[in-house]
CSV table of all heavy atoms in Angstrom, one decimal:
chain,number,residue,atom,x,y,z
C,30,THR,N,-63.0,76.3,-77.9
C,30,THR,CA,-62.1,77.3,-77.3
C,30,THR,C,-62.0,77.1,-75.8
C,30,THR,O,-62.8,76.3,-75.2
C,30,THR,CB,-62.6,78.7,-77.6
C,30,THR,OG1,-63.9,78.8,-77.1
C,30,THR,CG2,-62.5,78.9,-79.1
C,31,ARG,N,-61.2,77.9,-75.2
C,31,ARG,CA,-61.0,77.8,-73.7
C,31,ARG,C,-62.2,78.4,-73.0
C,31,ARG,O,-63.0,79.2,-73.5
C,31,ARG,CB,-59.8,78.6,-73.3
C,31,ARG,CG,-58.5,77.9,-73.8
C,31,ARG,CD,-57.3,78.7,-73.5
C,31,ARG,NE,-57.3,79.0,-72.0
C,31,ARG,CZ,-56.9,80.2,-71.5
C,31,ARG,NH1,-56.6,81.1,-72.4
C,31,ARG,NH2,-56.9,80.4,-70.3
C,32,ALA,N,-62.4,77.9,-71.8
C,32,ALA,CA,-63.6,78.3,-71.0
C,32,ALA,C,-63.5,79.8,-70.6
C,32,ALA,O,-62.4,80.4,-70.5
C,32,ALA,CB,-63.7,77.5,-69.7
C,33,LYS,N,-64.6,80.4,-70.5
C,33,LYS,CA,-64.7,81.8,-70.2
C,33,LYS,C,-64.2,82.1,-68.8
C,33,LYS,O,-64.6,81.4,-67.8
C,33,LYS,CB,-66.2,82.3,-70.3
C,33,LYS,CG,-66.4,83.8,-70.0
C,33,LYS,CD,-67.8,84.1,-70.2
C,33,LYS,CE,-68.1,85.6,-69.9
C,33,LYS,NZ,-69.5,86.0,-70.0
C,34,ARG,N,-63.4,83.0,-68.6
C,34,ARG,CA,-62.9,83.4,-67.3
C,34,ARG,C,-63.7,84.6,-66.8
C,34,ARG,O,-64.2,85.4,-67.5
C,34,ARG,CB,-61.4,83.7,-67.3
C,34,ARG,CG,-61.1,85.0,-68.0
C,34,ARG,CD,-59.6,85.3,-67.9
C,34,ARG,NE,-58.9,84.4,-68.8
C,34,ARG,CZ,-57.6,84.2,-68.9
C,34,ARG,NH1,-56.8,84.9,-68.0
C,34,ARG,NH2,-57.0,83.4,-69.7
C,35,PRO,N,-63.8,84.7,-65.4
C,35,PRO,CA,-64.6,85.8,-64.9
C,35,PRO,C,-64.0,87.1,-65.2
C,35,PRO,O,-62.8,87.3,-65.1
C,35,PRO,CB,-64.7,85.5,-63.4
C,35,PRO,CG,-63.5,84.6,-63.1
C,35,PRO,CD,-63.3,83.8,-64.4
C,36,ALA,N,-64.8,88.1,-65.5
C,36,ALA,CA,-64.3,89.4,-65.8
C,36,ALA,C,-64.0,90.1,-64.5
C,36,ALA,O,-64.7,89.8,-63.5
C,36,ALA,CB,-65.3,90.2,-66.7
C,37,PRO,N,-63.1,91.1,-64.5
C,37,PRO,CA,-62.9,91.8,-63.3
C,37,PRO,C,-64.1,92.7,-62.9
C,37,PRO,O,-64.9,93.0,-63.8
C,37,PRO,CB,-61.7,92.7,-63.6
C,37,PRO,CG,-61.8,92.8,-65.1
C,37,PRO,CD,-62.3,91.5,-65.6
C,38,GLU,N,-64.2,93.0,-61.6
C,38,GLU,CA,-65.4,93.7,-61.2
C,38,GLU,C,-65.5,95.1,-61.9
C,38,GLU,O,-66.5,95.5,-62.3
C,38,GLU,CB,-65.3,94.0,-59.7
C,38,GLU,CG,-65.3,92.7,-58.9
C,38,GLU,CD,-65.2,92.9,-57.4
C,38,GLU,OE1,-65.1,94.1,-57.0
C,38,GLU,OE2,-65.2,91.9,-56.6
C,39,SER,N,-64.3,95.7,-62.0
C,39,SER,CA,-64.3,97.0,-62.7
C,39,SER,C,-62.9,97.3,-63.1
C,39,SER,O,-62.0,97.3,-62.2
C,39,SER,CB,-64.9,98.1,-61.8
C,39,SER,OG,-64.7,99.4,-62.4
C,40,PRO,N,-62.6,97.7,-64.4
C,40,PRO,CA,-61.2,98.0,-64.7
C,40,PRO,C,-60.7,99.2,-64.0
C,40,PRO,O,-59.5,99.3,-63.9
C,40,PRO,CB,-61.3,98.2,-66.2
C,40,PRO,CG,-62.7,98.5,-66.5
C,40,PRO,CD,-63.5,97.8,-65.5
C,41,THR,N,-61.5,100.0,-63.5
C,41,THR,CA,-61.0,101.2,-62.8
C,41,THR,C,-61.2,101.2,-61.3
C,41,THR,O,-60.9,102.1,-60.6
C,41,THR,CB,-61.8,102.5,-63.3
C,41,THR,OG1,-63.2,102.3,-63.1
C,41,THR,CG2,-61.6,102.6,-64.8
C,42,ALA,N,-61.7,100.0,-60.8
C,42,ALA,CA,-61.9,99.9,-59.4
C,42,ALA,C,-60.6,99.8,-58.7
C,42,ALA,O,-59.7,99.2,-59.1
C,42,ALA,CB,-62.8,98.6,-59.1
C,43,PRO,N,-60.5,100.5,-57.5
C,43,PRO,CA,-59.2,100.4,-56.7
C,43,PRO,C,-58.9,99.0,-56.3
C,43,PRO,O,-59.8,98.3,-55.9
C,43,PRO,CB,-59.5,101.4,-55.5
C,43,PRO,CG,-61.0,101.4,-55.4
C,43,PRO,CD,-61.6,101.2,-56.8
C,44,LEU,N,-57.7,98.6,-56.3
C,44,LEU,CA,-57.2,97.3,-55.9
C,44,LEU,C,-56.9,97.3,-54.4
C,44,LEU,O,-56.3,98.2,-53.9
C,44,LEU,CB,-56.0,96.9,-56.7
C,44,LEU,CG,-56.2,96.7,-58.2
C,44,LEU,CD1,-54.9,96.5,-58.9
C,44,LEU,CD2,-57.2,95.6,-58.5
C,45,SER,N,-57.3,96.2,-53.8
C,45,SER,CA,-57.0,96.1,-52.4
C,45,SER,C,-55.6,95.6,-52.2
C,45,SER,O,-55.0,95.1,-53.1
C,45,SER,CB,-58.0,95.0,-51.7
C,45,SER,OG,-57.7,93.8,-52.3
C,46,SER,N,-55.1,95.7,-50.9
C,46,SER,CA,-53.7,95.2,-50.7
C,46,SER,C,-53.6,93.7,-50.8
C,46,SER,O,-52.6,93.2,-51.2
C,46,SER,CB,-53.3,95.6,-49.2
C,46,SER,OG,-54.2,95.0,-48.3
C,47,ALA,N,-54.7,93.0,-50.6
C,47,ALA,CA,-54.7,91.5,-50.7
C,47,ALA,C,-54.6,91.2,-52.2
C,47,ALA,O,-53.8,90.2,-52.5
C,47,ALA,CB,-56.0,91.0,-50.2
C,48,SER,N,-55.2,91.9,-53.1
C,48,SER,CA,-55.1,91.6,-54.5
C,48,SER,C,-53.7,91.9,-55.1
C,48,SER,O,-53.2,91.2,-55.9
C,48,SER,CB,-56.1,92.4,-55.3
C,48,SER,OG,-55.9,93.8,-55.2
C,49,LEU,N,-53.1,92.9,-54.5
C,49,LEU,CA,-51.7,93.3,-55.0
C,49,LEU,C,-50.7,92.2,-54.5
C,49,LEU,O,-49.7,92.0,-55.2
C,49,LEU,CB,-51.3,94.6,-54.4
C,49,LEU,CG,-52.1,95.8,-55.0
C,49,LEU,CD1,-51.7,97.1,-54.3
C,49,LEU,CD2,-51.8,96.0,-56.5
C,50,LEU,N,-51.0,91.6,-53.4
C,50,LEU,CA,-50.1,90.6,-52.9
C,50,LEU,C,-50.4,89.2,-53.4
C,50,LEU,O,-49.6,88.2,-53.2
C,50,LEU,CB,-50.1,90.6,-51.3
C,50,LEU,CG,-49.6,91.8,-50.7
C,50,LEU,CD1,-49.8,91.7,-49.2
C,50,LEU,CD2,-48.2,92.1,-51.0
C,51,SER,N,-51.6,89.0,-54.0
C,51,SER,CA,-52.0,87.7,-54.5
C,51,SER,C,-51.2,87.3,-55.7
C,51,SER,O,-50.7,88.1,-56.5
C,51,SER,CB,-53.5,87.7,-54.8
C,51,SER,OG,-53.7,88.6,-55.9
C,52,PRO,N,-51.0,85.9,-55.9
C,52,PRO,CA,-50.2,85.5,-57.1
C,52,PRO,C,-51.0,85.7,-58.4
C,52,PRO,O,-52.2,85.9,-58.3
C,52,PRO,CB,-50.0,84.0,-56.8
C,52,PRO,CG,-51.2,83.6,-55.9
C,52,PRO,CD,-51.5,84.9,-55.1
C,53,PRO,N,-50.3,85.7,-59.5
C,53,PRO,CA,-51.0,85.9,-60.8
C,53,PRO,C,-52.1,84.9,-61.0
C,53,PRO,O,-52.0,83.7,-60.6
C,53,PRO,CB,-49.9,85.6,-61.8
C,53,PRO,CG,-48.6,85.9,-61.1
C,53,PRO,CD,-48.9,85.5,-59.7
C,54,ALA,N,-53.2,85.3,-61.6
C,54,ALA,CA,-54.3,84.4,-61.9
C,54,ALA,C,-54.0,83.3,-62.8
C,54,ALA,O,-53.2,83.5,-63.8
C,54,ALA,CB,-55.5,85.2,-62.4
C,55,LYS,N,-54.5,82.1,-62.6
C,55,LYS,CA,-54.2,81.0,-63.4
C,55,LYS,C,-55.5,80.6,-64.2
C,55,LYS,O,-56.5,81.1,-64.0
C,55,LYS,CB,-53.7,79.8,-62.6
C,55,LYS,CG,-52.3,80.2,-61.9
C,55,LYS,CD,-51.8,79.0,-61.1
C,55,LYS,CE,-50.5,79.3,-60.5
C,55,LYS,NZ,-49.9,78.1,-59.8
C,56,ARG,N,-55.4,79.5,-65.0
C,56,ARG,CA,-56.5,79.0,-65.7
C,56,ARG,C,-57.6,78.6,-64.8
C,56,ARG,O,-57.4,78.1,-63.7
C,56,ARG,CB,-56.1,77.8,-66.6
C,56,ARG,CG,-55.0,78.1,-67.6
C,56,ARG,CD,-54.7,77.0,-68.4
C,56,ARG,NE,-55.8,76.5,-69.2
C,56,ARG,CZ,-55.8,75.4,-70.0
C,56,ARG,NH1,-54.7,74.7,-70.2
C,56,ARG,NH2,-56.9,75.0,-70.6
C,57,ALA,N,-58.8,78.7,-65.3
C,57,ALA,CA,-60.0,78.4,-64.4
C,57,ALA,C,-60.0,76.9,-64.1
C,57,ALA,O,-59.7,76.1,-64.9
C,57,ALA,CB,-61.3,78.8,-65.1
C,58,LYS,N,-60.3,76.6,-62.8
C,58,LYS,CA,-60.4,75.3,-62.3
C,58,LYS,C,-61.8,75.0,-61.8
C,58,LYS,O,-62.5,76.0,-61.5
C,58,LYS,CB,-59.3,75.0,-61.3
C,58,LYS,CG,-57.9,75.1,-61.8
C,58,LYS,CD,-56.9,74.8,-60.7
C,58,LYS,CE,-55.5,74.8,-61.3
C,58,LYS,NZ,-54.5,74.5,-60.2
C,59,PRO,N,-62.2,73.8,-61.6
C,59,PRO,CA,-63.4,73.5,-60.9
C,59,PRO,C,-63.5,74.2,-59.6
C,59,PRO,O,-62.5,74.3,-58.9
C,59,PRO,CB,-63.4,71.9,-60.8
C,59,PRO,CG,-62.5,71.5,-61.8
C,59,PRO,CD,-61.5,72.5,-62.0
C,60,GLU,N,-64.7,74.6,-59.2
C,60,GLU,CA,-64.9,75.4,-58.0
C,60,GLU,C,-64.5,74.4,-56.8
C,60,GLU,O,-65.1,73.4,-56.7
C,60,GLU,CB,-66.3,75.8,-57.9
C,60,GLU,CG,-66.6,76.6,-56.6
C,60,GLU,CD,-66.0,78.0,-56.7
C,60,GLU,OE1,-65.6,78.4,-57.8
C,60,GLU,OE2,-65.8,78.6,-55.7
C,61,PRO,N,-63.6,74.8,-55.9
C,61,PRO,CA,-63.2,73.9,-54.8
C,61,PRO,C,-64.4,73.9,-53.8
C,61,PRO,O,-65.2,74.8,-53.7
C,61,PRO,CB,-62.0,74.6,-54.3
C,61,PRO,CG,-62.1,76.0,-54.6
C,61,PRO,CD,-62.8,76.0,-56.0
C,62,SER,N,-64.3,72.8,-53.0
C,62,SER,CA,-65.3,72.7,-51.9
C,62,SER,C,-65.0,73.7,-50.8
C,62,SER,O,-63.9,74.3,-50.8
C,62,SER,CB,-65.3,71.3,-51.4
C,62,SER,OG,-64.1,71.0,-50.7
C,63,SER,N,-66.0,73.9,-49.9
C,63,SER,CA,-65.8,74.9,-48.8
C,63,SER,C,-64.6,74.5,-47.9
C,63,SER,O,-63.9,75.3,-47.5
C,63,SER,CB,-67.0,75.0,-48.0
C,63,SER,OG,-67.4,73.7,-47.5
C,64,SER,N,-64.5,73.2,-47.7
C,64,SER,CA,-63.3,72.7,-46.9
C,64,SER,C,-62.0,73.0,-47.5
C,64,SER,O,-61.0,73.4,-46.8
C,64,SER,CB,-63.5,71.2,-46.6
C,64,SER,OG,-63.4,70.5,-47.8
C,65,ASN,N,-61.9,72.8,-48.9
C,65,ASN,CA,-60.7,73.1,-49.5
C,65,ASN,C,-60.4,74.6,-49.5
C,65,ASN,O,-59.2,75.0,-49.5
C,65,ASN,CB,-60.8,72.7,-51.0
C,65,ASN,CG,-60.7,71.2,-51.1
C,65,ASN,OD1,-60.2,70.5,-50.2
C,65,ASN,ND2,-61.2,70.6,-52.2
C,66,LYS,N,-61.4,75.5,-49.6
C,66,LYS,CA,-61.2,76.9,-49.5
C,66,LYS,C,-60.5,77.3,-48.2
C,66,LYS,O,-59.6,78.1,-48.1
C,66,LYS,CB,-62.5,77.6,-49.6
C,66,LYS,CG,-63.1,77.6,-51.0
C,66,LYS,CD,-64.4,78.4,-51.1
C,66,LYS,CE,-65.0,78.5,-52.5
C,66,LYS,NZ,-66.3,79.2,-52.5
C,67,VAL,N,-61.0,76.6,-47.1
C,67,VAL,CA,-60.5,76.9,-45.8
C,67,VAL,C,-59.0,76.5,-45.7
C,67,VAL,O,-58.1,77.2,-45.2
C,67,VAL,CB,-61.3,76.2,-44.7
C,67,VAL,CG1,-60.6,76.4,-43.3
C,67,VAL,CG2,-62.7,76.7,-44.6
C,68,GLU,N,-58.7,75.3,-46.3
C,68,GLU,CA,-57.3,74.8,-46.3
C,68,GLU,C,-56.4,75.7,-47.1
C,68,GLU,O,-55.3,76.0,-46.7
C,68,GLU,CB,-57.3,73.4,-46.9
C,68,GLU,CG,-58.0,72.4,-45.9
C,68,GLU,CD,-58.0,71.0,-46.6
C,68,GLU,OE1,-57.4,70.8,-47.6
C,68,GLU,OE2,-58.6,70.1,-46.0
C,69,ASN,N,-56.9,76.2,-48.2
C,69,ASN,CA,-56.1,77.1,-49.1
C,69,ASN,C,-55.8,78.4,-48.4
C,69,ASN,O,-54.8,79.1,-48.5
C,69,ASN,CB,-56.8,77.4,-50.4
C,69,ASN,CG,-56.8,76.1,-51.2
C,69,ASN,OD1,-56.0,75.2,-51.1
C,69,ASN,ND2,-57.8,76.0,-52.2
C,70,ALA,N,-56.8,78.9,-47.6
C,70,ALA,CA,-56.7,80.2,-46.9
C,70,ALA,C,-55.6,80.1,-45.8
C,70,ALA,O,-54.9,81.0,-45.5
C,70,ALA,CB,-58.0,80.6,-46.3
C,71,LEU,N,-55.5,78.9,-45.2
C,71,LEU,CA,-54.5,78.7,-44.1
C,71,LEU,C,-53.2,78.2,-44.7
C,71,LEU,O,-53.0,77.0,-44.8
C,71,LEU,CB,-55.0,77.7,-43.1
C,71,LEU,CG,-56.4,78.0,-42.4
C,71,LEU,CD1,-56.8,76.9,-41.5
C,71,LEU,CD2,-56.2,79.3,-41.6
C-alpha cells in the first residue's frame, strides 16, 4: 500500500494564515536537504 502520510497536529487546532495560503498537500516525497528547503522557501 501507499506510504503513511503524517497526521495533522490536531483536527481542531486553529489554522495559521500560512497554512490557508499553502497549496494542497501532495504525495509524500523523500525529505529534501536543508539547502533545498531554503530554495523552496525563496
Side-chain angles (χ1 to χ4, degrees):
T30 58
R31 295 177 50 221
K33 180 181 179 181
R34 70 180 70 190
E38 295 178 2
S39 171
T41 59
L44 295 173
S45 65
S46 59
S48 65
L49 291 174
L50 295 175
S51 62
K55 297 184 178 180
R56 297 181 63 181
K58 294 182 179 180
E60 184 69 20
S62 64
S63 59
S64 61
N65 288 336
K66 286 181 179 178
V67 173
E68 292 176 7
N69 293 336
L71 303 174

